[in-house]
Amino acid sequence: MALKRIGILTGGGDCPGLNAVIRAVAKNAMGAGIEVIGIEDGYLGLIEDRFCPLKRDDVSNILTLGGTILGSCNKANPSSYAVRQDGKWVMKDVRDQVIKHYKKAGLDALVVIGGDGTMSGAAKLIDAGMSIVGVPKTIDNDLWGSDVTFGHDTAVTTASDALDKVHTTASSHHRVMVVEIMGRYAGWLALNAGVASGADVILIPEIAFDIEKVAAKCVERSKIGKRFTIIAAGEGAKQAGGKMFIDHINEASPDPIRLGGVAKFVSDQVEKITGIESRSIVLGHIQRGGPPTPRDRLLATGFGHHAMCLVHKGSFGRVVIKKNGVIDSIPIVDVADKVRTVPLDHPMLEAARALGTSFGD
Ligand code: F6P
């Protein structure tokens, strides 16, 4: 069947490179005579029937632009959508509504660009009969099945730049500086930024830390004349036997936990144990902003192109991935509800340990 019209949406937390994918998908489709309909704010636009036809001009000059021209939302999974009832949030399955809007718009297929939450949502829409191709994004780099996601390289660059800047002031004031880095339940961002900036201690969710050992590392550095310590703390890092630090719970979100607080905890405890003045910094959403790095632009363009190859072939229900340097695809159901964490035998962990980096264990 020749395709006439496809939809495209960006779901979940935004990241640099989303516009590069939108551009690659839309230009490819338009070149083949396929109309492209942008859906506003991820699945929310599908639920609320907010569609906007895209023209060539809309997707020109957006390759280097951060964010997403379509808008995004990380609280709208159609099979588990928060609705206010009697003063409480109740999760409802609104897939019928989504399919009605999808059919009304005359869409033959949908390209969804998002992370694990968006792919889990897509898996449920595929079950309900929709033709979907997924493109993975996330600064967290935690999408199961893909060695890399676009957005991560830019976030590593931003976090690493922040660590470098903190380095000089830590050195001037002889302080311990703890920098909290995003990444949710996976430590890729903290690990990669930490190693790239030569952090002395890196705390990641995959390796539970002992605060006494973190403090001992700071003292050990003082003894050899290094009067400052840089600690890169992944927001999901936790103490041995302890729990992750939660900043708040967003009840309207299908994934309600928002992490935060580990850097303040580590900084306060290290100061208490060692007497060395300590400060904490939370990098936060800065890591999701700015123009994508050239590497992310290339990956996003390659992913967008591959997604359209799948659409042209009618290979739906698949998500684009990069494995062993090759862009390919796997079934979306395979990645739904899974997280790709840092394996404990990862070569970068070994390399960092060999350099004397502490993981607080
Ligand atoms: O998944 C991307 C991410 O930035 C995580 O690293 C972070 O934990 C979360 O999103 C923050 O979510 P929100 O934008 O809802 O604060």
Side-chain angles (χ1 to χ4, degrees):
M1 180 191 80
L3 299 172
K4 288 203 189 88
R5 191 177 296 150
I6 62 168
I8 182 165
L9 65 80
T10 49
D14 70 341
C15 75
L18 289 169
N19 285 323
V21 181
I22 295 170
R23 169 181 176 268
V25 167
K27 287 195 170 182
N28 179 313
M30 289 168 187
I34 301 171
E35 259 185 87
V36 183
I37 309 294
I39 295 155
E40 293 173 5
D41 301 338
Y43 289 133
L44 195 59
L46 267 182
I47 295 166
E48 296 178 346
D49 196 13
R50 290 192 277 120
F51 294 58
C52 57
L54 294 177
K55 300 191 197 64
R56 251 185 192 272
D57 271 0
D58 298 322
V59 294
S60 270
N61 288 324
I62 62 168
L63 174 63
T64 63
L65 193 66
T68 160
I69 59 163
L70 296 174
S72 192
C73 173
N74 60 5
K75 296 188 236 1
N77 180 345
S79 61
S80 178
Y81 178 58
V83 181
R84 201 85 179 141
Q85 246 177 25
D86 303 328
K88 281 197 211 134
W89 289 105
V90 180
M91 294 301 181
K92 289 216 158 157
D93 186 341
V94 294
R95 282 180 293 173
D96 284 354
Q97 205 168 313
V98 161
I99 288 172
K100 191 173 92 191
H101 297 151
Y102 172 84
K103 286 192 175 149
K104 193 179 96 183
L107 299 182
D108 298 313
L110 185 64
V111 175
V112 302
I113 311 166
D116 53 347
T118 306
M119 295 310 149
S120 307
K124 296 268 166 44
L125 292 173
I126 292 163
D127 284 349
M130 284 172 63
S131 300
I132 296 181
V133 166
V135 180
K137 65 87 222 183
T138 167
I139 63 164
D140 304 339
N141 204 31
D142 62 352
L143 197 104
W144 193 90
S146 190
D147 290 342
V148 65
T149 52
F150 67 84
H152 181 65
D153 187 61
T154 310
V156 168
T157 306
T158 302
S160 169
D161 180 52
L163 286 167
D164 294 348
K165 286 179 173 145
V166 156
H167 206 120
T168 53
T169 175
S171 168
S172 308
H173 289 270
H174 319 305
R175 285 173 172 159
V176 172
M177 299 291 261
V178 191
V179 180
E180 187 166 307
I181 295 173
M182 279 185 167
R184 274 205 310 180
Y185 311 126
W188 296 106
L189 192 47
L191 174 65
N192 289 333
V195 172
S197 289
D200 309 298
V201 180
I202 302 175
L203 305 177
I204 59 173
E206 295 83 350
I207 303 174
F209 67 86
D210 176 344
I211 195 67
E212 295 290 341
K213 291 198 174 145
V214 175
K217 177 73 181 177
C218 302
V219 172
E220 176 198 312
R221 283 179 54 76
S222 295
K223 283 191 183 147
I224 56 162
K226 298 276 186 190
R227 298 173 63 201
F228 69 95
T229 298
I230 307 293
I231 304 180
E235 62 182 357
K238 58 179 182 296
Q239 293 189 89
K243 291 200 176 119
M244 287 186 188
F245 293 80
I246 295 176
D247 179 73
H248 68 278
I249 301 284
N250 187 336
E251 281 176 39
S253 170
D255 183 9
I257 295 173
R258 293 296 178 274
L259 298 169
V262 65
K264 170 107 179 67
F265 171 82
V266 171
S267 162
D268 288 351
Q269 292 301 310
V270 164
E271 184 166 301
K272 205 165 134 196
I273 299 167
T274 65
I276 306 171
E277 196 178 15
S278 306
R279 292 282 188 276
S280 63
I281 298 147
V282 179
L283 292 188
H285 292 78
I286 288 172
Q287 296 159 100
R288 295 226 303 250
T293 56
R295 189 188 287 266
D296 273 341
R297 293 176 207 175
L298 292 171
L299 187 60
T301 302
F303 274 12
H305 172 73
H306 198 86
M308 280 313 293
C309 292
L310 294 171
V311 168
H312 290 306
K313 279 194 288 187
S315 295
F316 298 118
R318 301 186 72 78
V319 58
V320 178
I321 54 153
K322 187 165 184 179
K323 201 85 195 154
N324 303 322
V326 179
I327 295 182
D328 201 345
S329 72
I330 55 176
I332 289 181
V333 283
D334 288 0
V335 313
D337 304 315
K338 289 187 194 148
V339 179
R340 191 179 74 97
T341 53
V342 179
L344 293 179
D345 60 352
H346 194 277
M348 196 53 79
L349 290 176
E350 196 189 316
R353 284 192 198 275
L355 292 171
T357 308
S358 164
F359 287 88
D361 57 341

